[in-house]
Amino acid sequence: DQQVKQNSPSLSVQEGRISILNCDYTNSMFDYFLWYKKYPAEGPTFLISISSIKDKNEDGRFTVFLNKSAKHLSLHIVPSQPGDSAVYFCAASAIDGNKLVFGAGTILRVKS
Amino acid sequence: GAGVSQSPSNKVTEKGKDVELRCDPISGHTALYWYRQRLGQGLEFLIYFQGNSAPDKSGLPSDRFSAERTGESVSTLTIQRTQQEDSAVYLCASSLSLAQHNEQFFGPGTRLTVL
């Protein structure tokens, strides 16, 4: 039972354009959401997060949007750069837990 | 300072053998987590440790899996009588504490291949 789903295994975007990565979740107890970025042979690194009391959080080129009614969040990267090419994982946690539940990841390729 | 380190980086073993994976967390981090990522899947929680509290072992897939942590330092994940379905990348993470919003810092992982 996948509680966090990233339905697009890969995404290809031209440099300078917007990258939109999507994530859906099923557990209504989740109240904190994160995006991690992973390069080959390295561990995931934290990118940006959002609490369920917000619907948007922005950090430089990265913005995360949360739609609680749809149980959907998205990560926008604009403008996309070749160095953004990596695997992006969506993760979620519940207020009474410390375990992160991850999606399967989306491979982003930014073409120059 | 140094990040989370894991060893070995790669391990190939034969079905039925035992393996031990090691994690050195960031100094001062009281919480330590183990995850695994099987091919094409997301990271799957296995176990976490917080200080001297009893670990949360709810994610361990079978009794062949066990983990220990010495105080607030090194942790080892042991898989006994390995099976082919144990093949995965095993990732360790640490954070300042178990507080929900504390960022988890990940190590590079150990890629385990069971033949």
Side-chain angles (χ1 to χ4, degrees), chain B residues 57-71:
Chain B
K57 304 179 181 180
S58 60
L60 294 178
S62 79
D63 59 7
R64 296 186 294 104
F65 287 72
S66 62
E68 293 184 350
R69 187 181 186 192
T70 308

Side-chain angles (χ1 to χ4, degrees), chain B residues 4 6 9 16 21 26-27 31 43 53 57 62 73-75 88 91-92 113-114:
Chain B
V4 177
Q6 293 185 245
S9 54
L21 313 179
I26 292 172
S27 178
L43 281 71
S53 302
K57 304 179 181 180
S62 79
S73 60
V74 173
S75 175
L91 289 150
C92 175
T113 304
V114 181

Side-chain angles (χ1 to χ4, degrees), chain A residues 31 36 43 46 93-94 98-99 103, chain B residues 42 45 48 58 98 100 103 107:
Chain A
D31 71 335
Y36 277 80
F46 170 77
S93 68
N98 306 289
K99 298 165 268 195
Chain B
F45 167 79
Y48 74 65
S58 60
L98 272 184
Q100 187 188 29
E103 179 183 343

Side-chain angles (χ1 to χ4, degrees), chain A residues 31-32 36 38 41-44 46 89 93-95 97-100 102-104, chain B residues 33 35 37 40-43 45 48 56 58 91 98 100-101 103-104 106-108:
Chain A
D31 71 335
Y32 190 64
Y36 277 80
K38 184 182 183 305
E42 295 182 13
F46 170 77
F89 290 99
S93 68
I95 193 168
N98 306 289
K99 298 165 268 195
L100 292 177
F102 283 83
Chain B
Y33 313 77
Y35 295 85
Q37 184 184 14
Q41 300 184 23
L43 281 71
F45 167 79
Y48 74 65
D56 179 341
S58 60
L91 289 150
L98 272 184
Q100 187 188 29
H101 294 189
E103 179 183 343
Q104 294 184 26
F106 283 83

Side-chain angles (χ1 to χ4, degrees), chain A residues 44-112:
Chain A
T45 55
F46 170 77
L47 191 56
I48 192 170
S49 64
I50 188 167
S51 166
S52 61
I53 61 172
K54 294 185 174 182
D55 55 17
K56 176 182 175 182
N57 187 27
E58 190 172 351
D59 183 3
R61 297 185 296 112
F62 303 90
T63 303
V64 56
F65 294 92
L66 176 62
N67 182 334
K68 281 180 292 184
S69 61
K71 294 191 175 68
H72 177 83
L73 64 155
S74 61
L75 173 68
H76 292 209
I77 307 172
V78 56
S80 302
Q81 299 173 353
D84 296 330
S85 298
V87 180
Y88 289 79
F89 290 99
C90 171
S93 68
I95 193 168
D96 61 344
N98 306 289
K99 298 165 268 195
L100 292 177
V101 181
F102 283 83
T106 297
I107 300 170
L108 174 66
R109 296 187 186 91
V110 180
K111 299 175 289 187
S112 55

Side-chain angles (χ1 to χ4, degrees), chain B:
Chain B
V4 177
S5 61
Q6 293 185 245
S7 61
S9 54
N10 279 285
K11 176 72 177 178
V12 180
T13 190
E14 293 179 349
K15 178 181 172 181
K17 296 284 180 69
D18 297 352
V19 296
E20 193 171 277
L21 313 179
R22 176 185 169 111
C23 171
D24 284 87
I26 292 172
S27 178
H29 281 192
T30 62
L32 185 148
Y33 313 77
W34 283 98
Y35 295 85
R36 75 174 174 183
Q37 184 184 14
R38 290 191 277 192
L39 191 64
Q41 300 184 23
L43 281 71
E44 173 190 4
F45 167 79
L46 298 177
I47 185 171
Y48 74 65
F49 299 86
Q50 166 64 25
N52 294 320
S53 302
D56 179 341
K57 304 179 181 180
S58 60
L60 294 178
S62 79
D63 59 7
R64 296 186 294 104
F65 287 72
S66 62
E68 293 184 350
R69 187 181 186 192
T70 308
E72 294 185 354
S73 60
V74 173
S75 175
T76 55
L77 176 70
T78 301
I79 309 173
Q80 295 177 310
R81 305 180 302 282
T82 52
Q83 304 293 312
Q84 287 181 332
E85 63 261 28
D86 299 334
S87 296
V89 176
Y90 288 82
L91 289 150
C92 175
S94 70
S95 64
L96 278 172
S97 74
L98 272 184
Q100 187 188 29
H101 294 189
N102 276 339
E103 179 183 343
Q104 294 184 26
F105 294 82
F106 283 83
T110 294
R111 180 175 297 278
L112 175 66
T113 304
V114 181
L115 302 177

